[in-house]
Amino acid sequence: MRFLAVLCVSCLLMGTQAQSSASFRRANAGNGRCQYSFTVDSPTEASCPSPGSSPEMEALKSRLGLLEALVARLVGGEALSESSAGSGSQSGLQDAYNQVMGENTQLQREKQRLDRQVQVLQQRVEELRQEAEMLRSRPCTQQPPPRVPEIDNSFKPGSGPALSHLVSRPGNTQGDTSSLRDPAWHYSGPGYQELTAVVTEVSAPNLEGPADISGCGDLVWVDQPEVHRKADSIAGKYGVWMQDPEAKEPYGPEMVWRIDAVGSEVRQLFGYENMDQLSRGFPTKVLLLPESVESTGATMYRGSLYYQRRLSRTLLRYDLLSESIAARRDLPHSGFHGQFPYSWGGYTDIDLAIDENGLWAIYSTNKAKGAIVLSQLDPHNLEVKGTWETKIRKTSVANAFMICGKLYTVASYTSPNTTVNYMYDTATSQGKTISVPFKNRYRYNSMVDYNPGQRKLFAWDNFYIVSYNVRLGKQE
Protein backbone atom coordinates (compact mmCIF):
# COMPACT_ATOMS: atom_id res chain seq x y z
CA MET A 1 0.00 0.00 0.00
CA ARG A 2 2.85 2.39 0.81
CA PHE A 3 4.34 1.73 -2.63
CA LEU A 4 1.02 2.52 -4.33
CA ALA A 5 0.59 5.73 -2.29
CA VAL A 6 4.03 6.96 -3.28
CA LEU A 7 3.26 6.07 -6.88
CA CYS A 8 0.04 8.13 -6.80
CA VAL A 9 1.77 11.13 -5.26
CA SER A 10 4.43 10.96 -7.94
CA CYS A 11 1.76 10.98 -10.57
CA LEU A 12 0.21 14.06 -8.99
CA LEU A 13 3.51 15.87 -9.06
CA MET A 14 4.08 15.00 -12.66
CA GLY A 15 0.56 16.02 -13.44
CA THR A 16 1.17 19.44 -11.96
CA GLN A 17 3.89 20.05 -14.53
CA ALA A 18 1.35 19.45 -17.34
CA GLN A 19 -1.50 21.63 -16.20
CA SER A 20 -3.11 21.44 -19.56
CA SER A 21 -3.93 17.75 -19.10
CA ALA A 22 -5.16 17.99 -15.47
CA SER A 23 -8.88 17.99 -14.52
CA PHE A 24 -10.88 18.28 -11.34
CA ARG A 25 -14.36 16.92 -10.71
CA ARG A 26 -16.82 16.85 -7.84
CA ALA A 27 -19.80 14.54 -7.68
CA ASN A 28 -22.00 12.61 -5.25
CA ALA A 29 -20.87 9.05 -4.61
CA GLY A 30 -23.19 6.04 -4.52
CA ASN A 31 -23.48 6.24 -0.77
CA GLY A 32 -24.63 9.90 -0.93
CA ARG A 33 -21.38 11.46 0.18
CA CYS A 34 -19.62 14.19 -1.81
CA GLN A 35 -16.56 12.86 -3.67
CA TYR A 36 -13.73 14.89 -5.21
CA SER A 37 -11.72 13.46 -8.11
CA PHE A 38 -8.45 14.83 -9.55
CA THR A 39 -6.84 13.33 -12.65
CA VAL A 40 -3.67 14.09 -14.55
CA ASP A 41 -2.09 12.44 -17.57
CA SER A 42 1.25 10.67 -17.38
CA PRO A 43 3.95 12.50 -19.30
CA THR A 44 5.68 9.25 -20.35
CA GLU A 45 3.22 6.39 -20.19
CA ALA A 46 0.61 6.05 -22.85
CA SER A 47 -1.46 3.80 -20.62
CA CYS A 48 -1.38 2.40 -17.04
CA PRO A 49 0.00 -1.15 -16.89
CA SER A 50 -2.00 -3.92 -15.16
CA PRO A 51 -1.09 -4.29 -11.45
CA GLY A 52 -0.56 -8.02 -11.88
CA SER A 53 1.97 -7.55 -14.71
CA SER A 54 4.18 -4.80 -13.18
CA PRO A 55 7.86 -5.95 -12.88
CA GLU A 56 8.32 -3.81 -9.78
CA MET A 57 5.26 -5.35 -8.16
CA GLU A 58 6.45 -8.85 -9.03
CA ALA A 59 9.88 -8.13 -7.56
CA LEU A 60 8.26 -6.66 -4.46
CA LYS A 61 6.03 -9.69 -4.03
CA SER A 62 9.02 -11.98 -4.42
CA ARG A 63 10.96 -10.07 -1.80
CA LEU A 64 7.94 -10.06 0.54
CA GLY A 65 7.55 -13.82 0.09
CA LEU A 66 11.16 -14.43 0.93
CA LEU A 67 10.84 -12.16 3.93
CA GLU A 68 7.73 -13.96 5.15
CA ALA A 69 9.44 -17.35 4.70
CA LEU A 70 12.46 -16.12 6.62
CA VAL A 71 10.29 -14.74 9.39
CA ALA A 72 8.36 -18.01 9.56
CA ARG A 73 11.58 -20.00 9.82
CA LEU A 74 12.93 -17.69 12.46
CA VAL A 75 9.72 -17.80 14.48
CA GLY A 76 9.43 -21.57 14.20
CA GLY A 77 13.09 -22.20 15.12
CA GLU A 78 12.93 -19.83 18.07
CA ALA A 79 9.83 -21.58 19.35
CA LEU A 80 11.52 -24.97 18.98
CA SER A 81 14.66 -23.65 20.66
CA GLU A 82 12.63 -22.16 23.49
CA SER A 83 10.84 -25.48 23.95
CA SER A 84 14.10 -27.47 24.13
CA ALA A 85 15.80 -24.89 26.29
CA GLY A 86 12.79 -24.77 28.60
CA SER A 87 12.90 -28.54 29.15
CA GLY A 88 16.66 -28.53 29.75
CA SER A 89 16.55 -25.52 32.03
CA GLN A 90 13.71 -27.05 34.02
CA SER A 91 15.76 -30.21 34.60
CA GLY A 92 18.80 -28.14 35.56
CA LEU A 93 16.77 -26.05 37.96
CA GLN A 94 15.37 -29.20 39.59
CA ASP A 95 18.89 -30.60 40.08
CA ALA A 96 20.09 -27.33 41.52
CA TYR A 97 17.08 -27.20 43.84
CA ASN A 98 17.70 -30.73 45.06
CA GLN A 99 21.36 -29.92 45.71
CA VAL A 100 20.46 -26.77 47.61
CA MET A 101 17.90 -28.66 49.72
CA GLY A 102 20.46 -31.37 50.52
CA GLU A 103 23.01 -28.78 51.58
CA ASN A 104 20.36 -27.05 53.65
CA THR A 105 19.55 -30.32 55.44
CA GLN A 106 23.24 -30.89 56.19
CA LEU A 107 23.57 -27.34 57.48
CA GLN A 108 20.53 -27.82 59.71
CA ARG A 109 22.04 -30.99 61.19
CA GLU A 110 25.36 -29.28 61.75
CA LYS A 111 23.58 -26.37 63.40
CA GLN A 112 21.72 -28.74 65.74
CA ARG A 113 24.99 -30.48 66.66
CA LEU A 114 26.68 -27.16 67.35
CA ASP A 115 23.68 -26.01 69.39
CA ARG A 116 23.97 -29.11 71.57
CA GLN A 117 27.67 -28.50 72.08
CA VAL A 118 27.00 -24.89 72.98
CA GLN A 119 24.43 -26.00 75.57
CA VAL A 120 26.92 -28.42 77.11
CA LEU A 121 29.60 -25.73 77.22
CA GLN A 122 27.19 -23.22 78.71
CA GLN A 123 26.23 -25.71 81.40
CA ARG A 124 29.90 -26.37 82.16
CA VAL A 125 30.62 -22.62 82.32
CA GLU A 126 27.77 -22.19 84.78
CA GLU A 127 29.08 -25.04 86.92
CA LEU A 128 32.56 -23.52 86.95
CA ARG A 129 31.11 -20.11 87.81
CA GLN A 130 29.21 -21.54 90.76
CA GLU A 131 32.29 -23.43 91.86
CA ALA A 132 34.37 -20.26 91.67
CA GLU A 133 31.79 -18.43 93.80
CA MET A 134 31.89 -21.24 96.34
CA LEU A 135 35.70 -21.15 96.46
CA ARG A 136 35.77 -17.38 96.85
CA SER A 137 33.42 -17.61 99.79
CA ARG A 138 35.49 -20.28 101.53
CA PRO A 139 37.90 -19.00 104.19
CA CYS A 140 41.60 -19.50 103.59
CA THR A 141 43.16 -22.33 105.57
CA GLN A 142 46.80 -23.18 106.05
CA GLN A 143 47.82 -26.09 103.87
CA PRO A 144 49.66 -28.97 105.59
CA PRO A 145 53.32 -29.31 104.68
CA PRO A 146 53.92 -31.63 101.74
CA ARG A 147 55.15 -35.10 102.49
CA VAL A 148 57.19 -37.44 100.38
CA PRO A 149 55.01 -40.34 99.21
CA GLU A 150 56.09 -43.90 99.74
CA ILE A 151 57.49 -45.10 96.45
CA ASP A 152 58.28 -48.60 95.24
CA ASN A 153 62.01 -48.99 94.61
CA SER A 154 61.37 -51.07 91.49
CA PHE A 155 60.67 -48.02 89.34
CA LYS A 156 60.97 -44.25 89.14
CA PRO A 157 57.73 -42.29 89.36
CA GLY A 158 56.93 -39.29 87.23
CA SER A 159 57.94 -35.76 88.05
CA GLY A 160 56.30 -33.92 90.91
CA PRO A 161 53.05 -32.01 90.50
CA ALA A 162 52.77 -28.55 89.05
CA LEU A 163 49.06 -28.23 89.50
CA SER A 164 46.11 -25.93 89.43
CA HIS A 165 43.13 -26.30 91.74
CA LEU A 166 40.97 -28.13 89.24
CA VAL A 167 42.96 -29.83 86.49
CA SER A 168 46.28 -31.46 87.31
CA ARG A 169 48.71 -32.77 84.71
CA PRO A 170 51.07 -35.43 86.09
CA GLY A 171 54.65 -35.92 84.98
CA ASN A 172 55.53 -38.21 82.16
CA THR A 173 55.84 -41.89 83.06
CA GLN A 174 57.46 -44.41 80.75
CA GLY A 175 55.03 -47.19 79.85
CA ASP A 176 55.94 -50.78 80.60
CA THR A 177 55.01 -53.08 77.72
CA SER A 178 56.33 -56.26 79.33
CA SER A 179 52.82 -57.22 80.44
CA LEU A 180 51.81 -57.56 76.80
CA ARG A 181 54.29 -60.42 76.29
CA ASP A 182 53.12 -63.36 78.38
CA PRO A 183 53.98 -66.75 76.81
CA ALA A 184 51.03 -68.28 78.67
CA TRP A 185 48.52 -66.30 76.64
CA HIS A 186 48.59 -64.77 73.16
CA TYR A 187 46.52 -61.60 73.00
CA SER A 188 44.12 -61.66 70.03
CA GLY A 189 42.16 -58.44 70.64
CA PRO A 190 38.59 -59.80 70.96
CA GLY A 191 35.70 -57.45 70.53
CA TYR A 192 33.09 -56.38 73.06
CA GLN A 193 31.59 -59.37 74.82
CA GLU A 194 27.99 -59.99 75.85
CA LEU A 195 27.57 -63.35 77.59
CA THR A 196 24.65 -64.92 79.42
CA ALA A 197 25.00 -65.24 83.18
CA VAL A 198 24.46 -68.63 84.80
CA VAL A 199 22.01 -68.34 87.70
CA THR A 200 21.93 -71.01 90.40
CA GLU A 201 18.62 -71.12 92.22
CA VAL A 202 18.91 -72.25 95.85
CA SER A 203 16.85 -71.61 98.94
CA ALA A 204 16.89 -68.11 100.43
CA PRO A 205 18.88 -67.49 103.62
CA ASN A 206 17.20 -67.28 106.98
CA LEU A 207 16.73 -63.56 107.63
CA GLU A 208 15.40 -64.23 111.09
CA GLY A 209 18.87 -65.09 112.37
CA PRO A 210 20.99 -62.61 114.33
CA ALA A 211 22.52 -59.75 112.37
CA ASP A 212 26.17 -58.86 112.86
CA ILE A 213 26.09 -55.06 112.99
CA SER A 214 29.52 -54.18 114.35
CA GLY A 215 31.80 -56.95 113.05
CA CYS A 216 32.04 -59.28 110.11
CA GLY A 217 29.54 -61.89 109.00
CA ASP A 218 27.88 -63.39 105.96
CA LEU A 219 25.85 -61.32 103.51
CA VAL A 220 22.19 -62.13 104.17
CA TRP A 221 20.29 -59.15 102.73
CA VAL A 222 20.68 -56.37 100.14
CA ASP A 223 18.34 -53.36 100.18
CA GLN A 224 16.70 -51.57 97.26
CA PRO A 225 19.11 -49.29 95.31
CA GLU A 226 19.32 -45.64 96.30
CA VAL A 227 19.97 -43.29 93.37
CA HIS A 228 22.54 -40.51 93.84
CA ARG A 229 23.03 -39.17 90.32
CA LYS A 230 22.56 -39.93 86.62
CA ALA A 231 25.55 -39.47 84.31
CA ASP A 232 25.43 -36.50 81.92
CA SER A 233 26.69 -38.09 78.69
CA ILE A 234 27.30 -41.37 76.87
CA ALA A 235 30.72 -41.52 78.56
CA GLY A 236 28.80 -42.39 81.75
CA LYS A 237 27.02 -45.45 80.34
CA TYR A 238 29.22 -47.39 82.72
CA GLY A 239 31.89 -46.34 85.18
CA VAL A 240 33.12 -46.60 88.76
CA TRP A 241 32.57 -44.42 91.83
CA MET A 242 34.35 -44.71 95.18
CA GLN A 243 34.90 -43.38 98.70
CA ASP A 244 38.13 -44.05 100.56
CA PRO A 245 37.31 -46.06 103.73
CA GLU A 246 40.68 -44.99 105.20
CA ALA A 247 41.13 -41.54 103.67
CA LYS A 248 44.30 -39.50 104.12
CA GLU A 249 45.11 -35.82 103.84
CA PRO A 250 44.42 -33.67 101.95
CA TYR A 251 41.09 -35.42 101.35
CA GLY A 252 38.59 -36.49 103.97
CA PRO A 253 36.41 -39.62 104.24
CA GLU A 254 33.41 -37.81 102.72
CA MET A 255 35.26 -37.17 99.43
CA VAL A 256 33.61 -39.00 96.52
CA TRP A 257 35.53 -40.01 93.40
CA ARG A 258 34.16 -40.90 89.97
CA ILE A 259 35.54 -42.25 86.67
CA ASP A 260 33.45 -42.42 83.48
CA ALA A 261 34.74 -45.62 81.87
CA VAL A 262 33.44 -45.32 78.28
CA GLY A 263 36.21 -44.48 75.79
CA SER A 264 39.66 -45.59 74.68
CA GLU A 265 41.59 -42.98 76.70
CA VAL A 266 39.94 -42.88 80.14
CA ARG A 267 42.15 -40.65 82.29
CA GLN A 268 39.93 -38.19 84.16
CA LEU A 269 39.28 -38.67 87.88
CA PHE A 270 36.55 -36.40 89.24
CA GLY A 271 36.42 -35.54 92.95
CA TYR A 272 33.43 -34.22 94.95
CA GLU A 273 33.53 -32.88 98.50
CA ASN A 274 30.58 -35.03 99.59
CA MET A 275 27.55 -36.94 98.34
CA ASP A 276 25.51 -33.76 98.04
CA GLN A 277 28.04 -32.24 95.63
CA LEU A 278 28.03 -35.50 93.65
CA SER A 279 24.23 -35.37 93.38
CA ARG A 280 24.42 -31.76 92.17
CA GLY A 281 27.22 -32.55 89.71
CA PHE A 282 29.78 -30.02 90.99
CA PRO A 283 33.29 -31.53 91.14
CA THR A 284 35.86 -29.73 93.28
CA LYS A 285 38.81 -31.62 91.84
CA VAL A 286 39.61 -33.05 88.40
CA LEU A 287 42.80 -35.06 88.08
CA LEU A 288 44.34 -36.18 84.80
CA LEU A 289 45.83 -39.62 85.36
CA PRO A 290 49.24 -40.29 83.78
CA GLU A 291 48.10 -43.57 82.19
CA SER A 292 44.71 -44.70 80.89
CA VAL A 293 42.27 -46.77 82.95
CA GLU A 294 40.95 -50.16 81.80
CA SER A 295 37.23 -50.67 82.49
CA THR A 296 35.45 -50.39 85.88
CA GLY A 297 37.77 -52.28 88.24
CA ALA A 298 39.38 -49.32 90.05
CA THR A 299 39.16 -48.72 93.79
CA MET A 300 40.26 -46.15 96.41
CA TYR A 301 42.19 -47.03 99.59
CA ARG A 302 44.45 -45.19 102.05
CA GLY A 303 44.89 -42.06 99.96
CA SER A 304 45.62 -43.86 96.69
CA LEU A 305 43.69 -44.83 93.56
CA TYR A 306 44.35 -48.42 92.45
CA TYR A 307 43.59 -49.30 88.85
CA GLN A 308 44.55 -51.50 85.89
CA ARG A 309 46.49 -49.84 83.09
CA ARG A 310 44.79 -50.07 79.70
CA LEU A 311 45.76 -52.97 77.39
CA SER A 312 47.88 -54.64 80.07
CA ARG A 313 47.85 -56.68 83.29
CA THR A 314 49.80 -53.90 85.03
CA LEU A 315 48.35 -52.61 88.30
CA LEU A 316 49.04 -48.98 89.28
CA ARG A 317 48.90 -47.12 92.59
CA TYR A 318 48.25 -43.42 92.03
CA ASP A 319 49.04 -41.30 95.09
CA LEU A 320 46.46 -38.53 95.53
CA LEU A 321 48.74 -36.25 97.54
CA SER A 322 51.68 -36.15 95.12
CA GLU A 323 49.40 -36.78 92.12
CA SER A 324 51.82 -39.27 90.60
CA ILE A 325 52.29 -43.02 90.17
CA ALA A 326 53.68 -44.43 93.45
CA ALA A 327 53.80 -48.14 92.57
CA ARG A 328 53.27 -50.48 89.65
CA ARG A 329 53.34 -54.25 89.25
CA ASP A 330 52.10 -56.88 86.81
CA LEU A 331 49.48 -59.29 88.17
CA PRO A 332 51.11 -62.65 87.32
CA HIS A 333 49.49 -64.57 84.44
CA SER A 334 46.24 -62.61 84.70
CA GLY A 335 44.03 -62.36 81.63
CA PHE A 336 43.41 -58.86 80.33
CA HIS A 337 41.52 -56.94 77.68
CA GLY A 338 38.76 -59.44 77.08
CA GLN A 339 40.13 -62.89 77.93
CA PHE A 340 38.30 -63.44 81.26
CA PRO A 341 35.79 -60.58 81.75
CA TYR A 342 32.53 -60.60 83.65
CA SER A 343 29.49 -61.63 81.61
CA TRP A 344 28.67 -58.03 80.63
CA GLY A 345 32.05 -57.65 78.92
CA GLY A 346 33.71 -54.24 79.03
CA TYR A 347 37.26 -55.70 79.44
CA THR A 348 36.56 -56.36 83.13
CA ASP A 349 39.32 -58.99 83.41
CA ILE A 350 40.85 -57.50 86.59
CA ASP A 351 38.56 -56.17 89.32
CA LEU A 352 40.21 -54.51 92.33
CA ALA A 353 38.23 -54.56 95.58
CA ILE A 354 38.42 -53.34 99.20
CA ASP A 355 37.00 -54.91 102.33
CA GLU A 356 37.76 -55.04 106.05
CA ASN A 357 40.89 -57.13 105.33
CA GLY A 358 42.46 -54.81 102.76
CA LEU A 359 43.10 -54.77 99.00
CA TRP A 360 42.11 -57.62 96.66
CA ALA A 361 42.34 -58.51 92.97
CA ILE A 362 39.56 -60.60 91.34
CA TYR A 363 40.69 -62.13 88.02
CA SER A 364 41.42 -65.41 86.21
CA THR A 365 44.27 -67.19 84.44
CA ASN A 366 44.81 -69.83 81.79
CA LYS A 367 45.96 -72.23 84.50
CA ALA A 368 42.64 -71.74 86.34
CA LYS A 369 40.78 -72.30 83.04
CA GLY A 370 38.62 -69.22 83.52
CA ALA A 371 37.65 -69.82 87.15
CA ILE A 372 37.79 -66.82 89.47
CA VAL A 373 41.15 -66.35 91.19
CA LEU A 374 41.52 -64.17 94.31
CA SER A 375 44.77 -62.48 95.33
CA GLN A 376 45.30 -60.30 98.37
CA LEU A 377 47.69 -57.45 97.55
CA ASP A 378 50.08 -55.32 99.57
CA PRO A 379 48.57 -51.82 99.29
CA HIS A 380 52.04 -50.23 99.38
CA ASN A 381 53.91 -52.07 96.61
CA LEU A 382 51.15 -54.27 95.07
CA GLU A 383 52.93 -57.54 95.82
CA VAL A 384 50.72 -60.64 95.98
CA LYS A 385 50.38 -61.78 99.61
CA GLY A 386 48.12 -64.78 99.04
CA THR A 387 46.08 -66.43 96.27
CA TRP A 388 42.93 -68.59 96.21
CA GLU A 389 41.30 -70.37 93.28
CA THR A 390 37.51 -70.82 93.25
CA LYS A 391 35.27 -73.16 91.27
CA ILE A 392 33.01 -70.59 89.59
CA ARG A 393 33.77 -69.31 86.09
CA LYS A 394 34.35 -65.57 85.90
CA THR A 395 32.55 -65.19 82.56
CA SER A 396 29.41 -66.79 84.07
CA VAL A 397 28.78 -64.02 86.62
CA ALA A 398 27.96 -60.35 86.15
CA ASN A 399 30.08 -58.88 88.95
CA ALA A 400 31.88 -59.71 92.19
CA PHE A 401 32.86 -58.00 95.44
CA MET A 402 34.57 -58.77 98.76
CA ILE A 403 33.13 -58.52 102.30
CA CYS A 404 35.13 -59.65 105.34
CA GLY A 405 37.46 -61.84 103.30
CA LYS A 406 34.60 -63.52 101.44
CA LEU A 407 33.99 -63.31 97.71
CA TYR A 408 30.40 -62.78 96.51
CA THR A 409 29.21 -62.94 92.88
CA VAL A 410 26.12 -61.41 91.23
CA ALA A 411 24.29 -63.68 88.80
CA SER A 412 23.01 -61.19 86.19
CA TYR A 413 23.67 -57.59 85.20
CA THR A 414 20.41 -57.09 83.24
CA SER A 415 17.71 -58.98 85.13
CA PRO A 416 15.78 -56.57 87.39
CA ASN A 417 15.40 -59.34 89.99
CA THR A 418 18.57 -61.41 90.25
CA THR A 419 20.60 -62.89 93.11
CA VAL A 420 23.97 -62.87 94.78
CA ASN A 421 24.51 -66.51 93.90
CA TYR A 422 27.92 -67.63 95.20
CA MET A 423 30.17 -67.09 98.21
CA TYR A 424 33.80 -68.14 98.69
CA ASP A 425 35.44 -67.86 102.13
CA THR A 426 39.23 -67.31 101.99
CA ALA A 427 39.50 -68.27 105.68
CA THR A 428 38.32 -71.82 104.97
CA SER A 429 39.07 -72.01 101.21
CA GLN A 430 35.51 -73.23 100.72
CA GLY A 431 32.79 -71.98 98.39
CA LYS A 432 29.05 -72.55 98.20
CA THR A 433 25.97 -71.42 96.30
CA ILE A 434 23.67 -68.90 97.97
CA SER A 435 20.63 -66.89 96.91
CA VAL A 436 20.43 -63.33 98.24
CA PRO A 437 17.97 -61.19 96.21
CA PHE A 438 19.58 -58.32 94.29
CA LYS A 439 17.96 -55.57 92.17
CA ASN A 440 19.26 -54.24 88.84
CA ARG A 441 16.74 -51.42 88.62
CA TYR A 442 18.10 -49.95 85.37
CA ARG A 443 19.10 -53.31 83.84
CA TYR A 444 22.78 -52.75 83.02
CA ASN A 445 24.85 -53.01 86.18
CA SER A 446 28.50 -52.64 85.20
CA MET A 447 30.12 -52.16 88.63
CA VAL A 448 29.40 -53.50 92.13
CA ASP A 449 31.89 -52.80 94.97
CA TYR A 450 31.69 -52.98 98.74
CA ASN A 451 32.69 -50.02 100.90
CA PRO A 452 33.62 -51.20 104.41
CA GLY A 453 33.54 -47.67 105.79
CA GLN A 454 29.96 -47.08 104.70
CA ARG A 455 28.85 -50.73 105.01
CA LYS A 456 27.21 -50.36 101.58
CA LEU A 457 27.48 -51.68 98.07
CA PHE A 458 28.34 -49.04 95.47
CA ALA A 459 27.10 -49.72 91.91
CA TRP A 460 26.85 -48.13 88.45
CA ASP A 461 23.64 -49.22 86.73
CA ASN A 462 23.11 -47.94 83.16
CA PHE A 463 24.16 -44.27 83.70
CA TYR A 464 22.87 -44.29 87.32
CA ILE A 465 25.15 -44.03 90.36
CA VAL A 466 23.44 -46.06 93.12
CA SER A 467 24.16 -47.65 96.49
CA TYR A 468 22.67 -50.54 98.48
CA ASN A 469 22.45 -51.00 102.22
CA VAL A 470 23.43 -54.52 103.27
CA ARG A 471 22.95 -56.76 106.28
CA LEU A 472 25.54 -59.17 107.59
CA GLY A 473 24.58 -62.19 109.64
CA LYS A 474 24.92 -65.94 109.41
CA GLN A 475 24.13 -67.96 106.29
CA GLU A 476 22.07 -71.09 106.97
Side-chain angles (χ1 to χ4, degrees):
M1 294 300 293
R2 179 177 298 176
F3 177 80
L4 295 177
V6 171
L7 183 61
C8 293
V9 171
S10 300
C11 292
L12 286 174
L13 292 175
M14 289 185 294
T16 305
Q17 297 175 0
Q19 297 181 357
S20 59
S21 61
S23 64
F24 175 79
R25 186 172 67 86
R26 184 180 66 176
N28 291 328
N31 57 4
R33 298 177 64 86
C34 180
Q35 187 178 58
Y36 295 88
S37 301
F38 180 77
T39 59
V40 65
D41 295 333
S42 172
T44 58
E45 296 177 334
S47 62
C48 293
S50 173
S53 60
S54 171
E56 292 84 0
M57 289 297 294
E58 292 299 328
L60 180 60
K61 287 180 180 181
S62 176
R63 287 196 296 273
L64 287 175
L66 292 175
L67 180 60
E68 288 175 354
L70 180 60
V71 170
R73 288 173 58 187
L74 290 174
V75 172
E78 182 178 359
L80 181 60
S81 176
E82 289 178 354
S83 176
S84 301
S87 176
S89 62
Q90 184 177 4
S91 176
L93 288 173
Q94 184 65 37
D95 293 342
Y97 174 80
N98 293 337
Q99 181 179 357
V100 169
M101 291 304 295
E103 293 176 353
N104 181 66
T105 302
Q106 293 179 356
L107 290 174
Q108 289 293 332
R109 292 175 181 172
E110 182 69 14
K111 179 179 180 297
Q112 292 174 359
R113 185 183 67 82
L114 292 175
D115 288 343
R116 289 193 295 269
Q117 291 182 352
V118 168
Q119 291 177 359
V120 172
L121 291 174
Q122 290 176 345
Q123 181 181 2
R124 183 58 182 157
V125 168
E126 179 62 21
E127 291 177 357
L128 292 175
R129 186 191 65 78
Q130 294 180 4
E131 180 183 348
E133 292 293 335
M134 181 179 64
L135 293 176
R136 280 198 291 267
S137 63
R138 183 183 302 171
C140 295
T141 57
Q142 184 177 1
Q143 295 293 329
R147 66 176 178 85
V148 179
E150 298 175 343
I151 299 175
D152 185 12
N153 294 327
S154 62
F155 74 99
K156 295 182 180 180
S159 59
L163 311 168
S164 65
H165 172 67
L166 280 179
V167 179
S168 302
R169 299 186 179 274
N172 294 329
T173 304
Q174 295 295 329
D176 179 13
T177 60
S178 62
S179 61
L180 292 177
R181 303 185 183 93
D182 184 2
W185 174 48
H186 300 286
Y187 166 63
S188 59
Y192 185 85
Q193 300 184 18
E194 283 281 348
L195 304 178
T196 303
V198 176
V199 181
T200 304
E201 293 293 340
V202 297
S203 58
N206 180 15
L207 297 183
E208 300 300 327
D212 191 340
I213 302 300
S214 58
C216 279
D218 298 337
L219 178 68
V220 296
W221 175 79
V222 179
D223 198 1
Q224 298 283 338
E226 177 185 359
V227 178
H228 301 288
R229 178 167 177 79
K230 182 179 181 182
D232 300 321
S233 66
I234 188 62
K237 168 72 175 179
Y238 50 87
V240 56
W241 71 285
M242 307 153 284
Q243 281 186 300
D244 192 339
E246 298 184 22
K248 292 186 177 182
E249 292 292 339
Y251 305 107
E254 293 187 355
M255 192 77 176
V256 183
W257 301 92
R258 186 195 98 226
I259 299 174
D260 295 337
V262 176
S264 60
E265 288 292 329
V266 177
R267 297 177 62 192
Q268 286 186 322
L269 174 64
F270 297 91
Y272 304 82
E273 283 190 343
N274 49 47
M275 292 297 297
D276 180 64
Q277 292 298 315
L278 171 68
S279 300
R280 296 171 60 188
F282 297 149
T284 56
K285 191 73 174 179
V286 181
L287 298 173
L288 188 64
L289 301 174
E291 300 183 51
S292 299
V293 180
E294 184 87 304
S295 197
T296 61
T299 193
M300 191 75 64
Y301 187 54
R302 294 182 181 177
S304 293
L305 171 72
Y306 297 85
Y307 70 96
Q308 174 193 358
R309 191 184 71 181
R310 183 173 181 266
L311 294 174
S312 75
R313 59 175 59 88
T314 303
L315 304 181
L316 302 175
R317 177 168 79 88
Y318 177 80
D319 183 75
L320 295 175
L321 179 61
S322 65
E323 299 184 0
S324 63
I325 298 297
R328 72 170 64 229
R329 190 176 298 275
D330 281 4
L331 188 59
H333 307 296
S334 170
F336 66 96
H337 204 66
Q339 188 185 15
F340 302 116
Y342 290 128
S343 61
W344 74 269
Y347 303 129
T348 50
D349 300 74
I350 300 176
D351 189 8
L352 299 175
I354 293 295
D355 72 351
E356 291 81 357
N357 295 345
L359 177 64
W360 300 84
I362 305 169
Y363 62 104
S364 188
T365 65
N366 280 336
K367 181 180 178 181
K369 298 180 180 180
I372 290 180
V373 177
L374 289 173
S375 288
Q376 190 170 17
L377 306 178
D378 186 317
H380 170 61
N381 57 22
L382 299 175
E383 286 185 352
V384 175
K385 298 166 61 176
T387 297
W388 296 259
E389 185 176 317
T390 73
K391 294 182 180 180
I392 185 169
R393 293 183 62 82
K394 190 166 185 289
T395 56
S396 71
V397 298
N399 241 298
F401 53 91
M402 299 293 297
I403 300 180
C404 297
K406 299 181 179 72
L407 170 77
Y408 295 90
T409 64
V410 181
S412 172
Y413 66 95
T414 57
S415 174
N417 298 296
T418 186
T419 60
V420 178
N421 65 339
Y422 181 80
M423 179 183 75
Y424 182 89
D425 190 348
T426 58
T428 63
S429 298
Q430 297 295 319
K432 65 178 181 179
T433 57
I434 61 175
S435 183
V436 179
F438 186 88
K439 301 286 186 181
N440 294 314
R441 179 179 296 175
Y442 302 102
R443 303 192 178 189
Y444 204 100
N445 213 329
S446 59
M447 164 249 171
V448 182
D449 281 340
Y450 174 67
N451 185 289
Q454 300 290 330
R455 275 291 177 97
K456 293 182 177 182
L457 294 178
F458 289 1
W460 196 298
D461 190 0
N462 201 12
F463 294 98
Y464 287 90
I465 295 173
V466 300
S467 65
Y468 303 79
N469 291 320
V470 299
R471 182 183 181 187
L472 304 181
K474 182 175 177 55
Q475 286 279 351
E476 290 290 326

